[in-house]
Coordinates of all heavy atoms in Angstrom, one line a residue:
M1 N 11.0 -10.6 10.4 CA 9.8 -9.8 10.5 C 8.9 -10.1 9.3 O 9.4 -10.0 8.2 CB 10.2 -8.3 10.6 CG 9.0 -7.4 10.8 SD 9.5 -5.6 10.8 CE 10.0 -5.5 12.5
S2 N 7.7 -10.4 9.6 CA 6.7 -10.7 8.6 C 6.1 -9.5 7.9 O 6.2 -8.3 8.5 CB 5.6 -11.6 9.1 OG 4.8 -10.8 10.0
N3 N 5.5 -9.6 6.8 CA 4.8 -8.5 6.2 C 3.7 -8.0 7.1 O 3.4 -6.8 7.1 CB 4.2 -9.0 4.8 CG 5.2 -9.3 3.8 OD1 6.4 -8.9 3.9 ND2 4.8 -9.9 2.7
N4 N 3.1 -8.8 7.8 CA 2.0 -8.4 8.8 C 2.6 -7.4 9.8 O 2.0 -6.4 10.1 CB 1.4 -9.6 9.5 CG 0.6 -10.4 8.5 OD1 1.1 -11.0 7.6 ND2 -0.7 -10.5 8.7
D5 N 3.8 -7.8 10.3 CA 4.5 -6.9 11.3 C 4.8 -5.6 10.7 O 4.7 -4.5 11.3 CB 5.7 -7.6 11.8 CG 5.5 -8.8 12.6 OD1 4.3 -8.9 13.2 OD2 6.3 -9.7 12.7
V6 N 5.3 -5.6 9.5 CA 5.6 -4.3 8.8 C 4.4 -3.4 8.6 O 4.4 -2.2 8.9 CB 6.3 -4.6 7.4 CG1 6.5 -3.3 6.6 CG2 7.6 -5.3 7.6
M7 N 3.3 -4.0 8.2 CA 2.1 -3.3 8.0 C 1.6 -2.7 9.4 O 1.2 -1.6 9.5 CB 1.0 -4.2 7.4 CG 1.1 -4.5 6.0 SD 0.9 -3.1 4.9 CE -0.9 -2.8 5.0
K8 N 1.7 -3.5 10.4 CA 1.2 -3.1 11.8 C 2.1 -1.9 12.2 O 1.6 -0.9 12.8 CB 1.3 -4.2 12.8 CG 0.2 -5.3 12.6 CD 0.4 -6.4 13.6 CE -0.5 -7.5 13.3 NZ -0.3 -8.7 14.2
K9 N 3.4 -2.0 12.1 CA 4.3 -1.0 12.5 C 4.1 0.3 11.8 O 4.1 1.4 12.3 CB 5.7 -1.4 12.5 CG 6.0 -2.5 13.5 CD 7.4 -2.9 13.5 CE 7.7 -4.0 14.5 NZ 7.5 -3.7 15.9
L10 N 3.9 0.2 10.5 CA 3.7 1.4 9.6 C 2.3 2.1 10.0 O 2.2 3.3 10.0 CB 3.7 1.1 8.2 CG 5.1 0.8 7.6 CD1 5.0 0.3 6.2 CD2 5.9 2.1 7.6
R11 N 1.3 1.3 10.3 CA 0.0 1.8 10.6 C 0.1 2.6 11.9 O -0.5 3.7 12.0 CB -0.9 0.6 10.8 CG -2.3 1.0 11.2 CD -3.1 -0.2 11.4 NE -4.5 0.1 11.6 CZ -5.5 -0.7 12.0 NH1 -5.2 -2.0 12.2 NH2 -6.7 -0.3 12.2
V12 N 0.8 2.1 12.9 CA 1.0 2.8 14.2 C 1.8 4.0 14.0 O 1.5 5.1 14.5 CB 1.5 1.8 15.3 CG1 1.9 2.6 16.5 CG2 0.5 0.7 15.6
A13 N 3.0 3.9 13.3 CA 3.9 5.0 13.2 C 3.3 6.2 12.5 O 3.6 7.3 12.8 CB 5.2 4.5 12.5
L14 N 2.5 5.9 11.5 CA 1.9 7.0 10.7 C 0.5 7.3 11.1 O -0.2 8.2 10.5 CB 1.9 6.5 9.2 CG 3.3 6.3 8.6 CD1 3.1 5.7 7.2 CD2 4.1 7.6 8.6
S15 N 0.0 6.7 12.2 CA -1.3 6.9 12.7 C -2.4 6.8 11.7 O -3.2 7.7 11.5 CB -1.4 8.3 13.4 OG -0.5 8.5 14.4
L16 N -2.4 5.7 11.0 CA -3.3 5.4 9.9 C -4.5 4.6 10.4 O -4.4 3.7 11.2 CB -2.6 4.7 8.7 CG -1.5 5.4 8.1 CD1 -0.8 4.5 7.1 CD2 -2.0 6.7 7.4
R17 N -5.7 4.9 9.9 CA -6.9 4.2 10.1 C -7.1 3.3 8.9 O -6.4 3.4 7.9 CB -8.1 5.1 10.3 CG -8.0 6.0 11.5 CD -9.2 6.9 11.6 NE -9.5 7.3 10.2 CZ -10.1 8.4 9.9 NH1 -10.5 9.2 10.8 NH2 -10.4 8.7 8.6
D18 N -8.1 2.4 9.0 CA -8.4 1.5 7.9 C -8.8 2.2 6.6 O -8.3 1.9 5.5 CB -9.5 0.5 8.3 CG -9.1 -0.6 9.3 OD1 -7.9 -0.8 9.4 OD2 -10.0 -1.2 9.9
D19 N -9.6 3.3 6.8 CA -10.0 4.1 5.6 C -8.8 4.7 5.0 O -8.7 4.8 3.7 CB -10.9 5.2 6.1 CG -12.3 4.6 6.6 OD1 -12.6 3.5 6.1 OD2 -12.9 5.3 7.4
D20 N -7.8 5.2 5.7 CA -6.6 5.8 5.2 C -5.8 4.7 4.4 O -5.3 5.0 3.3 CB -5.7 6.3 6.3 CG -6.4 7.4 7.1 OD1 -7.2 8.2 6.5 OD2 -6.1 7.6 8.3
I21 N -5.7 3.5 4.9 CA -4.9 2.5 4.2 C -5.6 2.1 2.9 O -5.0 1.9 1.9 CB -4.8 1.3 5.2 CG1 -3.9 1.7 6.4 CG2 -4.2 0.1 4.4 CD1 -3.8 0.6 7.4
I22 N -6.9 2.0 2.9 CA -7.7 1.7 1.7 C -7.5 2.8 0.7 O -7.2 2.5 -0.5 CB -9.2 1.5 2.0 CG1 -9.4 0.2 2.8 CG2 -10.0 1.5 0.8 CD1 -10.7 0.0 3.4
E23 N -7.5 4.1 1.1 CA -7.2 5.2 0.1 C -5.8 5.1 -0.4 O -5.6 5.4 -1.6 CB -7.5 6.5 0.8 CG -8.9 6.8 1.1 CD -9.8 6.8 -0.2 OE1 -9.3 7.3 -1.2 OE2 -10.9 6.2 -0.2
I24 N -4.8 4.8 0.4 CA -3.4 4.7 0.0 C -3.3 3.5 -1.0 O -2.6 3.7 -2.1 CB -2.5 4.5 1.2 CG1 -2.4 5.8 2.0 CG2 -1.1 4.0 0.7 CD1 -1.7 5.6 3.3
L25 N -4.0 2.4 -0.8 CA -3.9 1.3 -1.7 C -4.6 1.7 -3.1 O -4.2 1.3 -4.1 CB -4.6 0.1 -1.1 CG -3.7 -0.6 0.0 CD1 -4.6 -1.6 0.7 CD2 -2.5 -1.3 -0.6
K26 N -5.6 2.5 -3.0 CA -6.3 2.9 -4.2 C -5.4 3.8 -5.1 O -5.5 3.8 -6.3 CB -7.6 3.7 -3.9 CG -8.8 2.9 -3.5 CD -10.0 3.7 -3.3 CE -11.1 2.9 -2.8 NZ -12.3 3.7 -2.5
L27 N -4.5 4.6 -4.4 CA -3.5 5.4 -5.2 C -2.6 4.5 -6.0 O -2.1 4.9 -7.1 CB -2.7 6.2 -4.2 CG -3.5 7.4 -3.5 CD1 -2.6 8.0 -2.5 CD2 -4.0 8.4 -4.5
A28 N -2.4 3.3 -5.6 CA -1.5 2.3 -6.3 C -2.4 1.4 -7.2 O -1.9 0.3 -7.6 CB -0.7 1.5 -5.4
N29 N -3.7 1.7 -7.4 CA -4.6 0.9 -8.2 C -4.8 -0.5 -7.7 O -4.7 -1.5 -8.4 CB -4.2 0.9 -9.7 CG -4.2 2.2 -10.3 OD1 -5.1 3.0 -10.0 ND2 -3.3 2.5 -11.2
F30 N -4.9 -0.6 -6.3 CA -5.1 -1.9 -5.7 C -6.3 -1.7 -4.8 O -6.4 -0.8 -4.0 CB -3.9 -2.2 -4.8 CG -3.9 -3.6 -4.3 CD1 -3.5 -4.7 -5.1 CD2 -4.3 -3.9 -3.0 CE1 -3.5 -6.0 -4.6 CE2 -4.4 -5.1 -2.5 CZ -4.0 -6.2 -3.3
R31 N -7.3 -2.6 -5.0 CA -8.5 -2.5 -4.2 C -8.5 -3.6 -3.1 O -8.2 -4.8 -3.4 CB -9.7 -2.7 -5.1 CG -9.8 -1.8 -6.3 CD -10.2 -0.4 -5.9 NE -10.4 0.5 -7.0 CZ -9.6 1.5 -7.2 NH1 -8.6 1.8 -6.5 NH2 -9.8 2.3 -8.3
T32 N -9.0 -3.2 -2.0 CA -9.2 -4.2 -0.9 C -10.4 -3.7 0.0 O -10.8 -2.5 -0.2 CB -7.9 -4.3 0.0 OG1 -8.1 -5.4 0.9 CG2 -7.6 -3.1 0.7
T33 N -10.8 -4.5 0.9 CA -11.9 -4.1 1.8 C -11.4 -4.0 3.3 O -10.4 -4.5 3.6 CB -13.0 -5.1 1.7 OG1 -12.5 -6.4 2.2 CG2 -13.6 -5.3 0.3
K34 N -12.3 -3.4 4.1 CA -11.9 -3.3 5.5 C -11.9 -4.7 6.2 O -11.0 -4.9 7.0 CB -13.0 -2.5 6.3 CG -12.9 -1.0 6.1 CD -13.8 -0.3 7.0 CE -13.7 1.2 6.8 NZ -14.6 1.9 7.7
T35 N -12.7 -5.6 5.7 CA -12.7 -7.0 6.2 C -11.3 -7.7 5.9 O -10.7 -8.3 6.8 CB -13.8 -7.8 5.6 OG1 -15.0 -7.1 5.8 CG2 -13.9 -9.2 6.2
E36 N -10.8 -7.5 4.7 CA -9.5 -8.1 4.4 C -8.4 -7.5 5.2 O -7.5 -8.2 5.6 CB -9.2 -7.9 2.9 CG -10.2 -8.8 2.0 CD -10.1 -8.4 0.6 OE1 -9.5 -7.3 0.2 OE2 -10.5 -9.2 -0.3
L37 N -8.5 -6.1 5.4 CA -7.5 -5.5 6.2 C -7.5 -5.9 7.7 O -6.5 -6.1 8.3 CB -7.7 -4.0 6.2 CG -7.1 -3.2 5.0 CD1 -7.4 -1.8 5.1 CD2 -5.6 -3.5 4.8
S38 N -8.7 -6.1 8.2 CA -8.8 -6.5 9.6 C -8.2 -7.9 9.8 O -7.6 -8.2 10.9 CB -10.2 -6.4 10.1 OG -11.0 -7.4 9.5
A39 N -8.3 -8.7 8.8 CA -7.7 -10.1 8.9 C -6.2 -10.0 9.0 O -5.5 -10.8 9.7 CB -8.2 -10.9 7.8
I40 N -5.6 -9.0 8.3 CA -4.2 -8.9 8.3 C -3.7 -8.4 9.7 O -2.6 -8.8 10.1 CB -3.7 -7.9 7.2 CG1 -4.0 -8.5 5.9 CG2 -2.3 -7.5 7.3 CD1 -3.9 -7.6 4.7
F41 N -4.4 -7.5 10.3 CA -4.0 -6.9 11.6 C -4.4 -7.7 12.8 O -4.1 -7.3 13.9 CB -4.6 -5.5 11.7 CG -4.0 -4.5 10.7 CD1 -4.9 -3.9 9.8 CD2 -2.7 -4.3 10.6 CE1 -4.3 -3.1 8.8 CE2 -2.1 -3.4 9.7 CZ -3.0 -2.8 8.7
R42 N -4.9 -8.9 12.6 CA -5.3 -9.8 13.8 C -4.0 -10.5 14.3 O -3.0 -10.5 13.6 CB -6.3 -10.8 13.4 CG -7.6 -10.2 13.0 CD -8.7 -11.3 12.8 NE -9.9 -10.7 12.3 CZ -10.9 -10.2 13.1 NH1 -10.7 -10.2 14.4 NH2 -12.0 -9.8 12.5
A43 N -4.2 -11.0 15.5 CA -3.1 -11.8 16.1 C -2.9 -13.1 15.3 O -3.8 -13.6 14.7 CB -3.4 -12.1 17.5
D44 N -1.7 -13.6 15.3 CA -1.3 -14.8 14.6 C -2.2 -16.0 14.9 O -2.4 -16.9 14.1 CB 0.2 -15.2 14.8 CG 1.1 -14.1 14.3 OD1 0.6 -13.2 13.6 OD2 2.3 -14.2 14.6
D45 N -2.6 -16.1 16.1 CA -3.3 -17.3 16.6 C -4.9 -17.1 16.4 O -5.6 -18.0 16.8 CB -3.0 -17.6 18.0 CG -3.3 -16.5 19.0 OD1 -3.5 -15.4 18.5 OD2 -3.2 -16.7 20.2
H46 N -5.3 -16.0 15.9 CA -6.8 -15.8 15.7 C -7.3 -16.6 14.5 O -6.5 -16.8 13.5 CB -7.0 -14.3 15.5 CG -8.4 -13.9 15.5 ND1 -9.3 -14.1 14.5 CD2 -9.2 -13.3 16.5 CE1 -10.5 -13.7 14.9 NE2 -10.5 -13.2 16.1
P47 N -8.5 -17.2 14.6 CA -9.0 -18.0 13.5 C -9.1 -17.3 12.2 O -9.0 -17.9 11.1 CB -10.3 -18.5 14.0 CG -10.5 -18.1 15.4 CD -9.4 -17.1 15.8
N48 N -9.4 -16.0 12.2 CA -9.6 -15.2 11.0 C -8.3 -14.5 10.5 O -8.4 -13.7 9.6 CB -10.7 -14.2 11.1 CG -12.0 -14.9 11.3 OD1 -12.2 -16.0 10.9 ND2 -12.9 -14.2 12.0
F49 N -7.2 -14.9 11.1 CA -5.9 -14.3 10.7 C -5.5 -14.6 9.2 O -5.7 -15.8 8.8 CB -4.8 -14.7 11.6 CG -3.4 -14.3 11.1 CD1 -2.9 -13.1 11.3 CD2 -2.6 -15.3 10.5 CE1 -1.6 -12.7 10.9 CE2 -1.3 -14.9 10.1 CZ -0.8 -13.6 10.3
Q50 N -5.1 -13.6 8.5 CA -4.6 -13.9 7.1 C -3.2 -13.3 7.0 O -2.9 -12.2 7.4 CB -5.5 -13.2 6.1 CG -6.8 -13.8 5.9 CD -6.7 -15.1 5.1 OE1 -5.7 -15.4 4.4 NE2 -7.7 -15.9 5.2
P51 N -2.2 -14.1 6.4 CA -0.9 -13.5 6.2 C -1.0 -12.4 5.1 O -1.7 -12.5 4.1 CB -0.1 -14.7 5.7 CG -1.0 -15.7 5.3 CD -2.3 -15.5 6.0
C52 N -0.2 -11.4 5.3 CA -0.1 -10.3 4.4 C 0.8 -10.7 3.2 O 2.0 -11.0 3.4 CB 0.4 -9.0 5.0 SG 0.6 -7.6 3.9
K53 N 0.3 -10.7 2.0 CA 1.1 -11.2 0.9 C 2.0 -10.0 0.4 O 1.7 -8.9 0.6 CB 0.1 -11.6 -0.2 CG -0.7 -12.8 0.3 CD -1.4 -13.5 -0.8 CE -2.1 -14.7 -0.2 NZ -2.8 -15.6 -1.0
D54 N 3.0 -10.4 -0.4 CA 3.9 -9.4 -0.9 C 3.3 -8.4 -1.8 O 3.6 -7.2 -1.7 CB 5.0 -10.2 -1.7 CG 5.9 -11.0 -0.8 OD1 6.0 -10.8 0.4 OD2 6.6 -11.9 -1.4
Q55 N 2.3 -8.8 -2.5 CA 1.6 -7.9 -3.5 C 0.9 -6.8 -2.7 O 1.0 -5.6 -3.1 CB 0.6 -8.7 -4.3 CG -0.2 -7.8 -5.3 CD -1.2 -8.5 -6.1 OE1 -1.6 -9.6 -5.7 NE2 -1.7 -8.0 -7.1
L56 N 0.3 -7.1 -1.6 CA -0.4 -6.1 -0.8 C 0.6 -5.1 -0.2 O 0.4 -3.9 -0.3 CB -1.3 -6.7 0.3 CG -2.0 -5.7 1.3 CD1 -3.1 -5.0 0.5 CD2 -2.5 -6.5 2.5
L57 N 1.6 -5.6 0.4 CA 2.7 -4.7 1.0 C 3.3 -3.9 -0.1 O 3.5 -2.7 0.2 CB 3.7 -5.6 1.7 CG 4.8 -4.8 2.5 CD1 4.2 -3.8 3.5 CD2 5.8 -5.7 3.1
R58 N 3.7 -4.4 -1.2 CA 4.3 -3.7 -2.3 C 3.4 -2.5 -2.7 O 3.8 -1.4 -2.9 CB 4.6 -4.6 -3.5 CG 5.3 -3.9 -4.6 CD 5.6 -4.8 -5.8 NE 4.4 -5.3 -6.4 CZ 4.0 -6.6 -6.4 NH1 4.8 -7.5 -5.9 NH2 2.9 -7.0 -7.0
N59 N 2.1 -2.8 -3.0 CA 1.2 -1.8 -3.4 C 0.9 -0.7 -2.3 O 0.8 0.4 -2.6 CB -0.1 -2.4 -3.9 CG 0.0 -3.0 -5.2 OD1 0.4 -2.4 -6.2 ND2 -0.3 -4.3 -5.3
F60 N 0.9 -1.2 -1.1 CA 0.8 -0.2 0.0 C 2.0 0.7 0.1 O 1.8 2.0 0.2 CB 0.7 -0.9 1.4 CG 0.6 0.0 2.5 CD1 -0.5 0.8 2.8 CD2 1.7 0.2 3.4 CE1 -0.6 1.7 3.8 CE2 1.7 1.1 4.4 CZ 0.5 1.8 4.6
L61 N 3.2 0.2 -0.1 CA 4.4 1.1 -0.1 C 4.4 2.0 -1.3 O 4.8 3.2 -1.1 CB 5.6 0.2 0.0 CG 5.8 -0.6 1.3 CD1 7.0 -1.5 1.2 CD2 6.0 0.4 2.5
N62 N 4.0 1.5 -2.4 CA 4.0 2.4 -3.6 C 2.9 3.5 -3.5 O 3.1 4.6 -3.8 CB 3.7 1.6 -4.9 CG 4.9 0.7 -5.3 OD1 6.0 1.0 -5.0 ND2 4.6 -0.4 -6.0
G63 N 1.8 3.1 -2.9 CA 0.7 4.1 -2.7 C 1.1 5.1 -1.6 O 0.8 6.3 -1.7
L64 N 1.9 4.7 -0.6 CA 2.4 5.5 0.5 C 3.3 6.6 -0.1 O 3.2 7.8 0.3 CB 3.0 4.7 1.5 CG 3.4 5.4 2.8 CD1 2.2 6.0 3.5 CD2 4.2 4.5 3.8
V65 N 4.1 6.2 -1.1 CA 5.0 7.2 -1.7 C 4.2 8.3 -2.4 O 4.4 9.5 -2.3 CB 6.0 6.5 -2.7 CG1 6.7 7.5 -3.6 CG2 6.9 5.6 -2.0
I66 N 3.1 7.9 -3.1 CA 2.3 8.8 -3.8 C 1.5 9.7 -2.8 O 1.4 10.9 -3.0 CB 1.3 8.1 -4.7 CG1 2.0 7.4 -5.8 CG2 0.3 9.0 -5.3 CD1 1.2 6.4 -6.6
Y67 N 1.1 9.1 -1.7 CA 0.3 9.7 -0.6 C 1.2 10.8 0.0 O 0.7 11.9 0.3 CB -0.1 8.7 0.4 CG -0.9 9.2 1.5 CD1 -2.2 9.6 1.4 CD2 -0.4 9.3 2.8 CE1 -3.0 10.1 2.5 CE2 -1.1 9.7 3.9 CZ -2.4 10.1 3.7 OH -3.2 10.6 4.8
K68 N 2.4 10.5 0.2 CA 3.3 11.5 0.9 C 3.9 12.5 0.0 O 4.1 13.7 0.3 CB 4.4 10.8 1.7 CG 3.9 10.0 2.9 CD 3.5 10.9 3.9 CE 3.1 10.2 5.2 NZ 2.6 11.1 6.2
R69 N 4.4 12.1 -1.2 CA 5.1 13.0 -2.2 C 4.2 13.5 -3.3 O 4.6 14.5 -3.9 CB 6.2 12.2 -2.8 CG 7.3 11.8 -1.9 CD 8.5 11.3 -2.8 NE 9.3 10.5 -2.1 CZ 10.2 9.6 -2.6 NH1 10.3 9.5 -3.9 NH2 11.0 8.9 -1.8
G70 N 3.2 12.9 -3.6 CA 2.4 13.2 -4.8 C 2.8 12.3 -6.0 O 3.8 11.6 -5.9
P71 N 2.0 12.4 -7.0 CA 2.3 11.5 -8.2 C 3.6 11.9 -8.9 O 4.0 13.1 -8.8 CB 1.1 11.7 -9.1 CG 0.5 13.0 -8.7 CD 0.8 13.2 -7.2
M72 N 4.2 10.9 -9.5 CA 5.5 11.2 -10.2 C 5.2 12.0 -11.5 O 4.3 11.6 -12.2 CB 6.1 9.9 -10.5 CG 7.5 10.0 -11.1 SD 8.1 8.3 -11.4 CE 9.8 8.7 -11.4
P73 N 5.9 13.1 -11.7 CA 5.7 13.8 -12.9 C 6.1 13.0 -14.1 O 7.0 12.2 -14.1 CB 6.6 15.0 -12.8 CG 7.6 14.7 -11.7 CD 7.0 13.6 -10.9
K74 N 5.3 13.2 -15.2 CA 5.6 12.5 -16.4 C 6.9 13.0 -17.1 O 7.1 14.2 -17.1 CB 4.4 12.6 -17.4 CG 3.2 12.0 -16.9 CD 2.1 12.0 -17.9 CE 0.9 11.3 -17.3 NZ -0.2 11.3 -18.3
K75 N 7.7 12.1 -17.6 CA 8.9 12.5 -18.3 C 8.6 12.9 -19.7 O 7.8 12.3 -20.4 CB 9.9 11.3 -18.3 CG 10.3 10.9 -17.0 CD 11.3 9.8 -17.0 CE 11.7 9.3 -15.6 NZ 12.7 8.2 -15.7
E76 N 9.3 14.0 -20.1 CA 9.1 14.4 -21.5 C 10.1 13.7 -22.4 O 11.2 13.5 -22.0 CB 9.4 15.9 -21.6 CG 8.4 16.8 -20.9 CD 8.6 18.3 -21.0 OE1 9.3 18.6 -22.0 OE2 8.2 19.0 -20.1
K77 N 9.6 13.3 -23.6 CA 10.4 12.6 -24.5 C 11.3 13.6 -25.3 O 10.8 14.7 -25.7 CB 9.6 11.8 -25.5 CG 8.9 10.7 -24.9 CD 8.2 9.9 -26.0 CE 7.4 8.7 -25.3 NZ 6.7 8.0 -26.4
K78 N 12.6 13.3 -25.4 CA 13.5 14.2 -26.1 C 13.4 13.8 -27.6 O 13.4 12.6 -27.9 CB 14.9 14.0 -25.6 CG 15.1 14.5 -24.2 CD 16.6 14.3 -23.8 CE 16.8 14.8 -22.4 NZ 18.2 14.6 -21.9
E79 N 13.4 14.8 -28.4 CA 13.3 14.5 -29.8 C 14.7 14.3 -30.3 O 15.7 15.0 -30.0 CB 12.7 15.7 -30.6 CG 11.3 15.9 -30.3 CD 10.7 17.0 -31.1 OE1 11.2 17.3 -32.2 OE2 9.7 17.6 -30.7
E80 N 14.8 13.3 -31.2 CA 16.2 12.9 -31.7 C 16.4 13.8 -32.9 O 15.5 14.1 -33.7 CB 16.2 11.5 -32.1 CG 16.1 10.5 -30.9 CD 16.1 9.1 -31.4 OE1 16.6 8.8 -32.5 OE2 15.7 8.2 -30.6
P81 N 17.6 14.3 -33.1 CA 17.9 15.2 -34.2 C 17.8 14.4 -35.5 O 18.2 13.2 -35.6 CB 19.3 15.6 -34.0 CG 19.9 14.7 -33.0 CD 18.8 14.1 -32.2
K82 N 17.2 15.0 -36.5 CA 17.1 14.3 -37.9 C 18.3 14.7 -38.7 O 18.8 15.8 -38.7 CB 15.8 14.8 -38.5 CG 14.6 14.4 -37.8 CD 13.3 14.8 -38.5 CE 12.1 14.4 -37.8 NZ 10.9 14.8 -38.4
D83 N 18.7 13.7 -39.5 CA 19.9 13.9 -40.4 C 19.6 14.6 -41.6 O 18.7 14.6 -42.3 CB 20.6 12.5 -40.7 CG 21.2 11.9 -39.4 OD1 21.4 12.7 -38.5 OD2 21.4 10.7 -39.4

């Protein structure tokens, strides 16, 4: 299964529109346009088809975690005892 297939299946399963996907990617500090997204969701034999790269899928999944769960809370540093 290609990265394009994973993106297509997640888009349908979560009922996401292009605007939603762009917002999710922004949560992971990754910028893209609707044009770039439409190229990913095209059929393999279409002239404007673009393969979905690992970086885009990784950032989408990281942004999806933030979108569904919220941002990760910051860890507090423990102070080391002084001698």
Side-chain angles (χ1 to χ4, degrees):
M1 182 179 280
S2 70
N3 289 348
N4 293 64
D5 294 334
V6 172
M7 287 290 290
K8 288 176 188 177
K9 289 183 184 295
L10 285 171
R11 179 183 189 189
V12 171
L14 299 172
S15 302
L16 298 173
R17 298 178 321 208
D18 288 343
D19 295 331
D20 298 329
I21 295 172
I22 290 171
E23 289 301 316
I24 289 170
L25 287 167
K26 281 182 184 177
L27 291 173
N29 296 323
F30 188 83
R31 304 285 186 246
T32 190
T33 63
K34 282 187 179 183
T35 306
E36 292 170 343
L37 280 180
S38 68
I40 291 168
F41 294 119
R42 294 188 186 275
D44 296 350
D45 58 349
H46 193 279
N48 294 333
F49 170 79
Q50 287 288 340
C52 178
K53 300 193 178 185
D54 292 339
Q55 181 183 15
L56 177 70
L57 182 59
R58 181 181 65 245
N59 284 303
F60 176 72
L61 293 174
N62 288 336
L64 189 61
V65 169
I66 296 169
Y67 180 74
K68 290 292 185 180
R69 290 190 204 164
M72 186 176 203
K74 294 184 179 181
K75 295 181 181 179
E76 295 182 22
K77 292 183 179 180
K78 294 182 181 179
E79 292 184 26
E80 296 181 20
K82 294 182 180 180
D83 293 339

